[in-house]
Amino acid sequence: MRDSIRFIHSADLHIDSLFKTKGHLPQELLEQLRASTFEAFDRLIDACIQHQVDFLIITGDLYNEEIRSLKAQVHLRRGFERLQKNGISVYISYGNHDFVKGSKHPIELPNNVHIFTSEHVSYFPFKKNGIVVAHIYGFSYETREVKERKVASYKRVGEAAYHIGMLHGSVETNTEHDVYAPFSIEELKNQGMDYWALGHIHKREVLSEDPPIIYPGNIQGRSRKEAGEKGCYLVENAQGTWNHTFLPLHSFTYETAIVECGHLNSPDQLEKALEEAKKRVEANYTSTMLTITLRTDHSNLREWKLTGYIDEWVEIVNATEDTGSNEWIWIDDVKIIDRPQWNETELLKGHHFTGELLRSIQSLGKKEMEDWLDPLFTHRKMYKYVQSLTDVEKEDALEEAKRMMVEHFMSGEKRQGS
Amino acid sequence: MKIKEFKIYGFGKWKDFSASLSGDQLSLVTGKNEAGKSTLYHFILFMLFGLPPKQREFYLPKNGGPLGGQLCLETHDYGRVIIERIHDRDNGRALCRLESGHEFGEEWLQQLLDGMERKGYETTYGFNADDLLRLQHLSGNELGEVLLNIGLTGSDQIYQAEKWLQKQLDSKFKPKGKKPEINAQMEIVEQLEQKKKKLESEEGEYFRLQEDKQTKVEQIEELEKAWTAKTNEIYAIEQLLKTRPLLVEYYQMIGKEKEQQMVKFPEAGVERYYQLKEKMLPLQSEEQLLQSNLKELYQAADELKEVKNQEVLNEGKWLHDVQRNEYEKASFEYDRLQQQFEKIKEQLKQELTYIDAPLEEHELEEYPLPFYIEETWRDLKNEKEELDREQTFYKEQETDIEREFNKIEKRKHTIEEKRISENQRRELEEKLQNTYESAVTADEGNTSRLKKRRLYAISAAIGTFVVGSLFQTITSSLEVFIVMLIIGLFFVFYSYNIHKKIESYPLAADQLAIPSHEMEEARWQLQQDDKQMTEWNHLHEQWKQLNQEEIRLQEKKRLLFQRQTRLEAAMREQKNLYPFLTSLKVQHWEKLYHLLVHAKDKKLELLRMEKESQSFKKTMKQIEDDLRTFFSDRKWEFNEDNMKANWQHLQDWVYEQERVDVRINELEKKIRTVQHQLKENTTRLYAYYDEKESLFKEAEVNSEEAFYDRAKQKEVQQERQAKILDLEGQLKGMLSEKEQRDFQVWEAVPEESELLSRLNTVKLRKEGLEEERKQTQQSLADTKSEISRLENSDERSSITHRLQAEKEKLQRKAREWTIYQLALKSLEKTKQTYKDKYLPQVINKAINYIIKLTEGKYVDIYIHAEDEKVRITDREGIIYLPEELSRGTRDQLYVAFRFALGETMADKSSMPFLIDDAFVHFDSTRLRIMTEIIEELASRHQVVLFTWKGELDVWFQSPDVLHL
């Protein structure tokens, strides 16, 4: 009969991480966002103490970037010191975002914290009442990238009731993320570990139940792409059965909502649509950064967007939120899905100027486009702060430019307006 | 494409109104103002291109009814097409019906219209008064460009769009600006970035601060140490000041001590000296006593020595001890020898008598008797005896031989008588011979033949047995073996028979001798004769031997004689040498020899004895002489006869003398004892003297007085040294070792003033250290608070996040700029393409129109290569910029361009021209020209002219007039 064991498995803390926001945020909210990763970490520590776990595992990416802010480091240290007072050990490996050699000035962590500092897999024994209960295996990223397969290096060593592997990497077939320390689930299963504490992928996922192979995800969403609840897993083995429970830690979540707007005739009706979107996420009872997609067959939304109606309404709706409270819903971005009121295929055929314009845009070369954009993007000062657009972004911009021009030439209003 | 009919269900003021248009000549729609010409114009456009809902609402019939209508078109490809639009049907989208009955939607219509949309159509094929009006508002500078744009699109849209876009772009970003949004945003970002960098370096500072903190902590520790050291030093100096008087005293003592040399005095010298003296006193008195004793003894000994003459005594003693003995021994020996001599002489005499040979005693010495003589004599005796014996033996032999001879002669003679004669013998032999020869020849052949056959038979038998047994072993054939056995047996039997025959043969031979008794007789006679003859021969042999023996004997006898002769000679020789032998037979010689030898030994013994006794006699004589001399020297009476008395006298004297000697010896022994005692005493005394000397030497004095004096000096010095030690001890107790070392107290007395000044300096330094420590502690506190501030600082995080937000804002703005920039640039590019494509045609056509419109006043239009502005040339060749022209001419120029463009476009896709009161302000002349132009245009394309001038129809040749 093995000793029971209880621990919390987390990863990808990304403490003091920056947030991708679309609109302009009030200072108050910006502060909340900024505090969120710290708060989530504090909740992680609280959870460890509350659940009286044996130890805490953090599989990589504790910090957001290789330059670890002092605040983040001190904050972690204080958190770990709290665990030390409660007799809870911490096992840390570093990942691609906080690789060992990237840290210029690491501050000292209390000695209940065991850090894998080498890129070679090693292990720490975990002792409970003087008896070695678990061997915890892992490695840290010494440099930004670890491309080789590491699983084979995880070898059960010695006598311990539990063998737990910490691995910061991704399934080899994953194409959404940079593939680091690739592995296959089968490969993991074959290593004889009792539990695989994975990290790196921010979306939580249980890859296998037996043995448990788990990505806990990150503890706080940082952009629209990291939607939904974020947290850690409380893992327990009693009577030989593994139980894992998700514990949310986030301060707020990112959510998206789509609203059909085909029936809208006037910009005044936008408020209702936005409120409707907010209602959908209210049920989550948590602060939310909301991205709303308005969908229509008409061109009016685009017009309203261009004329600033939408932004105005978003501002008005956001203004009603009490961002100082614990539960707010902030409309971060409004996207529009519509279809143009003109037929591009037909226009392209015409001998008129618009047809010629569309043809010009269609035949526009990359180099030419870049030349056009150079004044800003290669500006001696700007280039430092403005990121070059990706091809997709450029395409998007060109599409918008095209729509703007075609609509301009098709409606006389602009002319009238000028 | 031509418009044939239209039917209005309701549009603005029009309701249920329909009309048809001629497609082949100019259609003239006339009516007063507010008659609805413009509405009709818009209705046609609405039918062709549709309208957004809001705009449609504008045309909703005032007095109710549906908004919509139909437009019937004559097309090249599809024949008649009816387009219908109803406001509240399918959002005002078009429904196209073909003659074939097919129905199509909006897209199809667009295709029919060559993808042209309302705006483009209006600017290309539509004209209205407003166009010319707007021309008026343009500044001279813009005019040329606008005209060019009109030449391209029939309107200034491009120009306006460009202008608008540029404005937008300028408001967003200028490479060198500060105010545009992006520039301003970048400023914000830059400032934040710098701030962030500063904060980051501050965090770098954090680790420096940590080191700094450590350094300061160490510094404070150092300062504490230094402070403690100084405090100790102050204490030390103060302590030194306290102890200084002692130190001064100490150095005074040391000074004195140095002045005086080290007084050399043995340890506890005085006591030791006293002890020494006590020990010496009894020894000295004893010495004196012994000295006097010795003197007395010497005196006594001297007296005795005068009495005693050692040499004489020695001589007397020698005579008494040695010579007397010698003498007595010699005298004794002499007597003994005399007696012995007599005895031996007697014996010798007897022996000579016994020998009884003519030999005297003294002669004994003369004859040498070497050992070989005995042998010679014995040999002679033996030889004599042997020769005698041999002579006897030979005589006997001679007689024996003689007798033997006689015997043999006799026997021989007997045999000769018994023998047969030679002839008889020969006869007998011949007889026998003949008989033998016949018998032998017969027998011998038979027998040998039989023997041969017997051999063969045996051989055959053996062979058969061998072959048989071979067969048996090889073939195991019993039959053959048995046959062989039988054959073998047969051979055995045969051979046995032969053998028997051979056996029986001699018997057969005997039977063959025929004259047997005769033969026997003869044979017996022969045999007897043979025996006789053999015996005789034997005897004869014996006789021969005897004869030889006799000869040998004769020989021996001769030899014996020779030996006898030699013996005689030898005996004679001996007798010559030793004449006494003559009286004796040779047989006794040997014995004589022994007796002689014995006698001679005795003689020699006698001679020796005589000699010995002579020597004793001589010794005695000498001793007697010596003694006599000694006596005479002493003037003692020497009794010549009685040596004994002489010796006695001597003995008495020697004894007496010897007693004196003993006394002297006793005295001397005593003297030696005393001397020894004295010596011992002196030795002991000397040891003490040495000790005393060494004491004096150590104290470097010669006298006892000086010694005591020195003892006193030593005492003073020791007291001083004790004092110094005492002071030293006190000083050591008061000053720590370090202090002693630091102040070098054992080298010199530290100057008081120097100490005081040093005390002051150290005190000041201590205060300085205290101050420094205070400052460092303050600085450490500052560092600590700075570390704590940094650790708790939220600023970097805050700034970084703000920077991120601002950067994103900047990025958004950049993206917006990108859109405008792309729009503007693609517009410019399209314009250029379009210009290259159509402008030459348009210009050519415009030149035609301007010539017509100005009646040849202006003859050419061109686009200036550099500024891309329109230029116009009059018939004089003078070139004008559009703004230099009169308003009328400018309008004409505009019209020329519009018509030129319209026509150019119409060449590609024929569309109806819609002209709405465009020339309302033209004077009659120009209007006439205009109508001519329009009429000409109408001959190629459908033209619908809306005008309020009802009289205009007269200007046209055959207009299709629709009067409203």
Side-chain angles (χ1 to χ4, degrees), chain B residues 264-303:
Chain B
K264 289 188 180 162
F265 193 75
E267 191 65 32
V270 178
E271 288 83 0
R272 275 161 68 193
Y273 187 65
Y274 279 141
Q275 283 168 7
L276 202 62
K277 270 176 99 175
E278 265 171 42
K279 280 176 194 162
M280 276 164 75
L281 223 59
L283 288 174
Q284 277 168 342
S285 56
E286 193 177 339
E287 191 185 12
Q288 276 170 5
L289 187 74
L290 287 169
Q291 286 289 2
S292 65
N293 276 356
L294 194 63
K295 228 181 230 169
E296 282 168 23
L297 284 171
Y298 274 132
Q299 232 170 347
D302 285 346
E303 280 166 15

Side-chain angles (χ1 to χ4, degrees), chain A residues 16-24 27 30-31 34 38 67-71 73-74 77-78 105-107 298 306 343 346-347 349-354 356-357 359-361 363-364 368-369 372-373 375-377 379 381-382 384-389 393-394 396-398 400-401 404-405 408-415 418, chain B residues 55 91 107 110-111 114-117 119-120 123 134 153 155-158 160-161 164-165 173 175-176 182-183 186-187 189-190 193 200 203-204 206-207 790-794 796-798 800-802 804-812 814-815 817-823 825-827 829-831 833-834 837-838 905 908:
Chain A
D16 210 0
S17 180
L18 299 175
F19 290 82
K20 292 239 182 261
T21 52
K22 291 296 173 184
H24 180 73
Q27 190 60 29
L30 205 57
E31 285 304 314
R34 192 162 67 81
F38 292 98
I67 303 159
R68 301 163 189 197
S69 77
L70 184 61
K71 183 190 174 190
Q73 293 195 64
V74 170
R77 188 185 71 197
R78 286 177 184 162
H105 305 291
I107 69 164
H298 305 293
L306 264 175
N343 186 319
E346 287 306 319
L347 285 176
K349 288 178 190 163
H351 296 95
H352 42 76
F353 191 79
T354 312
E356 196 64 46
L357 182 68
R359 285 194 292 276
S360 289
I361 289 173
S363 65
L364 186 59
E368 200 173 358
M369 206 197 310
W372 292 351
L373 300 181
L376 176 70
F377 289 94
H379 184 268
K381 271 183 162 179
M382 289 295 176
K384 285 191 238 168
Y385 308 111
V386 181
Q387 283 184 334
S388 294
L389 300 182
E393 281 174 325
K394 278 182 197 159
D396 283 353
L398 188 61
E400 276 197 43
M404 187 166 74
M405 290 320 292
H408 175 80
F409 281 106
M410 281 170 62
S411 76
E413 275 176 46
K414 275 279 179 297
R415 184 177 60 179
S418 65
Chain B
Q55 287 181 35
N91 201 19
E107 281 80 19
Q110 276 191 11
Q111 199 187 338
D114 190 24
M116 184 167 272
E117 28 67 52
K119 202 75 196 297
T123 54
R134 276 201 7 259
T153 58
S155 75
D156 62 346
Q157 242 185 328
I158 300 172
Q160 295 300 348
W164 178 73
L165 286 171
F173 172 66
K176 286 184 179 165
I182 293 177
N183 296 73
M186 195 214 65
E187 283 293 318
V189 168
E190 199 170 31
E193 182 76 35
E200 273 172 7
E203 283 198 0
Y206 170 80
F207 296 97
L790 280 174
E791 282 197 356
N792 292 303
S793 169
D794 201 24
R796 183 185 166 196
S797 167
S798 169
T800 312
H801 281 261
R802 256 189 72 200
Q804 169 75 3
E806 296 297 345
K807 261 185 173 172
E808 270 172 15
K809 193 171 167 189
L810 178 65
Q811 194 70 24
R812 277 201 302 278
R815 189 174 174 274
W817 177 86
T818 303
I819 294 166
Y820 287 106
Q821 176 76 350
L822 288 176
K825 288 293 172 183
S826 48
L827 188 62
K829 189 191 171 192
T830 313
K831 196 174 111 189
T833 319
Y834 211 68
K837 221 170 175 178
Y838 298 112
M905 286 295 152
K908 306 279 176 190

